[in-house]
Amino acid sequence: MKKNDNSVKILLFIICAIIFAYNLGSALPIIESEKFYFQSVKEMFARHDWITPYYQGQFRFQKPILFYWFVSLSYIALGINNFAVRFPSVLFGILTVIFTFNIGRRLFDRKTGLLAAGITATCAIFFMYARYASPDMALTFFVVYAVYLFLKGAKDPEKGKGFFSAFFVILGLATMTKGYVGFLLPLIVVLSFIASSKKWKLLKAMNIPSGLLIILAIALPWSVAMYMLHGDRYLNNILMGEAVKKIFSIHDNESIFFYIPVLISWFLPYALFLPAALVDSFKSKKTYSLERDSYKLILSYFLGIFIFFSLISVKEYYNILPLAPALGLMIARYFINLEERKIQFRSVGFNIVYVLVAIIYMAALAGVLYAMHHIYSSRVAGYEYLIALAPLIIILPYIGRKSKAVLFAIPVAMAVLILFLAGRAIPLFNDRVLPAFAEEIRQNLKPGDKVGVGSVDISQQRLGIFLDMPVEEVNVKQKSPDTFSQHKDKVVNFLTSGGKVYLVIAEDDYTALIPDEIKSKLAIMDQREMWKTRLRRSINKETILEVLRGKKYFLRDILRHKALLLTNNTEETK
């Protein structure tokens, strides 16, 4: 039995390594926070300072040090390159998938563990964060590993004290990775489970006071060193900026329902099964006495973390990443329950959602192929369109009523799509506009020159990564009639600031914001078509209506735009 489990883990390791690491080094930054880890670790090497993170010469107190150390080790082993900075996330992603299998195997059976692992690995948000430099995947691993250690200890509390001690060690490492959420998330899962199952004796076996000392022993030394080096400046940032503000801030107070649409969009297509899976889990914990605690743990895992993030003030989409293993376990068990009861194809809800998933999959693939054909047709070989057959992975088992094949059809189809996106579509869609602009700026840049981005749909963070220098935000967060004057003033003031400047701006903003008398004193160094980077701010009710009325084309006018690289004549624009 154990030998078979090891074979499954090796298989998962190989498959995930291919999916997560394929074309990793050549992928351009998508998550803007990558800039901190690309640049900050380089500065650690340059300064020989392994205690204080810096970004562009400024202190960076926002995150603890451990993930910087992981990236540093990767740089030492693999060299300073894009692959190396992202490799820790690949590794933590693989380990998260394997321990999702371990938990599913321990709670239920091998089939549940394998399916849960497949679902987790092929969630859109999980795939993305397993390929980019961010501490969030490391946090997700520490949470799932802590839950696994708790399960090992809870099996025999008298003999499981070593597992409980290891549980708190992991909480300490998680705290060193992501701050207070590192120890809170696993504790929320475990304490919610203990309360729901009324297994109060586990609290005594865990020896929480001793565990808290373990967490402090791991997390406190670096914090003390930082306080000794930087005093109240560091302490105020940690207490007020990273803890109090994020939990209690009234300025960023989003709706308590913020994460519902986020969950649906980032966990597609699996999130469509989530309502039925939640109902099935609640019913099963009352029906199956042998597996009652297993369902309680899954529900505690999912709902505990989801409710916690819904209640705190500052909300970010990536906070839901640690939910991926719990969601995978819950949906896997729902699928297998239907299959074991032989009601898979008689369940109206399952059939409707399964067909809807097939339609969404085909629509998404059609959208990718449409963009490839209409924008990059000369660079696409005919055989590449064979990917259009991928929906058959979902459709054929369903038509043939192959119940076991249907279980794994969606994860397999998602893996194929992910490999196609990572290996072909995303590199093809990579117009490399910002790297090209950065190279042109770098060839002319002198000390004291300023670089800015004048449009909200162009990422100044990514331009900053390519330039290895700060880039000014010469725009507003949201385009609207109310912010037009503010936006115009920022652009004009930047261009007439008296020094040499370089500005990357969208063509429509160039036309609308810059007066003709200033345009005459500017030079357009380059202009290129590129994809917009903040589609949420471009897609709204008005633009959708314009597309429906034929006034705009979705692909050309909504998703893409022309970007200009401007510079000034310093004497004429003073």
Side-chain angles (χ1 to χ4, degrees):
M1 192 75 70
K2 187 174 181 181
K3 185 177 180 181
N4 290 338
D5 287 349
N6 288 336
S7 299
V8 171
K9 293 173 192 177
I10 292 170
L11 179 65
L12 287 172
F13 185 95
I14 294 170
I15 292 173
C16 290
I18 293 170
I19 292 175
F20 299 156
Y22 185 44
N23 213 25
L24 184 70
S26 61
L28 288 181
I30 290 182
I31 302 170
E32 292 180 349
S33 62
E34 273 198 305
K35 62 182 180 179
F36 299 121
Y37 305 100
F38 276 92
Q39 182 63 27
S40 295
V41 179
K42 290 180 184 178
E43 294 189 32
M44 293 178 82
F45 276 86
R47 294 171 179 271
H48 301 287
D49 183 348
W50 310 104
I51 302 299
T52 304
Y54 291 83
Y55 177 69
Q56 304 291 4
Q58 303 295 316
F59 296 132
R60 175 163 165 76
F61 295 148
Q62 284 82 353
K63 292 292 180 288
I65 195 67
L66 189 57
F67 191 74
Y68 295 97
W69 288 346
F70 289 142
V71 174
S72 298
L73 291 172
S74 187
Y75 273 175
I76 292 170
L78 302 171
I80 298 177
N81 53 64
N82 288 1
F83 184 93
V85 77
R86 292 164 174 160
F87 180 73
S89 292
V90 172
L91 185 58
F92 285 121
I94 293 170
L95 292 174
T96 300
V97 171
I98 289 173
F99 277 95
T100 300
F101 167 78
N102 286 342
I103 291 175
R105 176 72 179 88
R106 180 165 289 273
L107 293 179
F108 300 103
D109 52 41
R110 185 183 296 111
K111 186 162 60 173
T112 302
L114 182 58
L115 182 54
I119 291 171
T120 300
T122 55
C123 288
I125 190 171
F126 192 90
F127 165 71
M128 185 170 77
Y129 273 85
R131 288 174 55 83
Y132 289 98
S134 169
D136 296 280
M137 185 54 73
L139 172 68
T140 301
F141 165 70
F142 286 133
V143 172
V144 77
Y145 188 39
V147 171
Y148 175 74
L149 289 170
F150 170 77
L151 282 173
K152 294 273 284 185
K155 183 179 180 181
D156 188 346
E158 290 300 318
K159 297 180 181 179
K161 293 181 180 179
F163 291 112
F164 290 135
S165 295
F167 169 85
F168 287 107
V169 169
I170 294 302
L171 266 59
L173 295 175
T175 305
M176 286 287 288
T177 301
K178 193 73 175 177
Y180 69 94
V181 297
F183 69 86
L184 279 181
L185 296 188
L187 281 178
I188 286 170
V189 174
V190 166
L191 295 178
S192 299
F193 168 73
I194 290 173
S196 65
S197 60
K198 296 181 172 56
K199 294 181 178 291
W200 304 111
K201 290 182 179 179
L202 286 174
L203 288 176
K204 183 178 179 181
M206 290 176 68
N207 195 357
I208 290 179
S210 175
L212 294 177
L213 291 176
I214 293 174
I215 295 173
L216 289 174
I218 294 171
L220 201 56
W222 175 77
S223 297
V224 170
M226 287 291 287
Y227 179 73
M228 292 176 67
L229 289 169
H230 308 291
D232 290 341
R233 184 176 179 182
Y234 165 74
L235 192 63
N236 290 338
N237 183 277
I238 292 298
L239 292 179
M240 299 306 298
E242 289 300 301
V244 176
K245 181 181 177 182
K246 286 191 174 182
I247 297 176
F248 301 111
S249 170
I250 60 173
H251 301 292
D252 300 314
N253 197 13
E254 297 274 4
S255 165
I256 196 172
F257 303 110
F258 172 85
Y259 285 111
I260 294 177
V262 170
L263 188 73
I264 293 170
S265 58
W266 280 104
F267 283 107
L268 278 175
Y270 305 109
L272 299 177
F273 294 101
L274 185 58
L278 278 167
V279 171
D280 182 71
S281 294
F282 275 107
K283 286 182 177 179
S284 297
K285 77 182 180 69
K286 297 178 180 178
T287 306
Y288 300 103
S289 58
L290 294 176
E291 297 175 345
R292 184 172 296 148
D293 288 343
S294 299
Y295 286 104
K296 287 180 179 178
L297 181 73
I298 293 175
L299 289 167
S300 298
Y301 195 162
F302 183 84
L303 294 176
I305 294 176
F306 183 82
I307 292 171
F308 169 75
F309 280 124
S310 296
L311 291 178
I312 67 172
S313 178
V314 176
K315 296 176 173 63
E316 301 286 355
Y317 76 92
Y318 51 76
N319 285 339
I320 65 171
L321 181 61
L323 290 175
L327 181 138
L329 288 162
M330 192 183 308
I331 292 176
R333 198 58 205 166
Y334 165 62
F335 281 8
I336 288 170
N337 280 342
L338 291 177
E339 190 253 340
E340 289 179 346
R341 298 171 198 162
K342 302 189 185 302
I343 59 171
Q344 211 171 15
F345 301 108
R346 291 188 284 118
S347 169
V348 176
F350 175 82
N351 282 272
I352 290 173
V353 175
Y354 193 93
V355 171
L356 182 59
V357 166
I359 293 170
I360 291 173
Y361 186 92
M362 287 188 287
L365 188 56
V368 172
L369 292 175
Y370 178 83
M372 289 173 63
H373 179 72
H374 284 268
I375 300 176
Y376 308 102
S377 57
S378 62
R379 294 162 57 189
V380 180
Y383 71 86
E384 293 181 285
Y385 292 104
L386 291 174
I387 190 67
L389 299 176
L392 294 177
I393 300 171
I394 299 175
I395 295 169
L396 291 180
Y398 182 77
I399 293 175
R401 293 298 192 261
K402 305 292 185 182
S403 59
K404 287 184 171 59
V406 164
L407 288 178
F408 293 92
I410 297 175
V412 171
M414 287 297 295
V416 170
L417 179 60
I418 283 170
L419 280 172
F420 177 70
L421 291 174
R424 181 55 179 151
I426 293 176
L428 183 66
F429 292 166
N430 173 15
D431 294 313
R432 301 194 67 84
V433 171
L434 293 184
F437 283 176
E439 183 59 31
E440 292 181 67
I441 294 169
R442 195 181 293 110
Q443 290 175 1
N444 297 278
L445 195 67
K446 296 179 181 178
D449 293 353
K450 295 190 295 185
V451 180
V453 168
S455 299
V456 71
D457 297 320
I458 301 172
S459 170
Q460 95 261 15
Q461 288 93 342
R462 294 177 199 170
L463 183 61
I465 291 175
F466 302 128
L467 283 169
D468 281 342
M469 65 173 285
V471 173
E472 293 188 31
E473 185 180 53
V474 194
N475 55 66
V476 291
K477 295 294 184 183
Q478 183 69 49
K479 285 185 180 182
S480 72
D482 296 334
T483 60
F484 178 83
S485 296
Q486 179 189 357
H487 191 183
K488 182 176 181 179
D489 289 343
K490 291 181 75 171
V491 171
V492 170
N493 291 339
F494 180 79
L495 291 172
T496 59
S497 59
K500 186 71 172 178
V501 300
Y502 300 89
L503 181 69
V504 178
I505 189 169
E507 186 178 44
D508 60 341
D509 286 332
Y510 169 79
T511 302
L513 299 173
I514 303 177
D516 290 338
E517 62 269 21
I518 295 180
K519 287 178 184 174
S520 65
K521 302 169 185 177
L522 300 174
I524 299 177
M525 298 175 64
D526 199 353
Q527 51 187 308
R528 303 184 183 212
E529 293 282 339
M530 67 179 293
W531 298 93
K532 295 181 180 179
T533 56
R534 292 181 174 90
L535 296 179
R536 187 177 66 178
R537 292 161 183 151
S538 302
I539 300 176
N540 51 49
K541 181 179 178 181
E542 288 74 21
T543 57
I544 291 173
L545 288 174
E546 288 180 318
V547 170
L548 293 175
R549 291 167 184 161
K551 294 182 179 180
K552 287 187 176 181
Y553 293 99
F554 187 75
L555 189 62
R556 186 190 67 196
D557 300 321
I558 307 301
L559 300 184
R560 292 174 63 81
H561 60 178
K562 181 180 286 186
L564 311 179
L565 172 57
L566 310 177
T567 190
N568 62 339
N569 182 311
T570 54
E571 295 300 321
E572 293 184 3
T573 53
K574 283 183 179 178

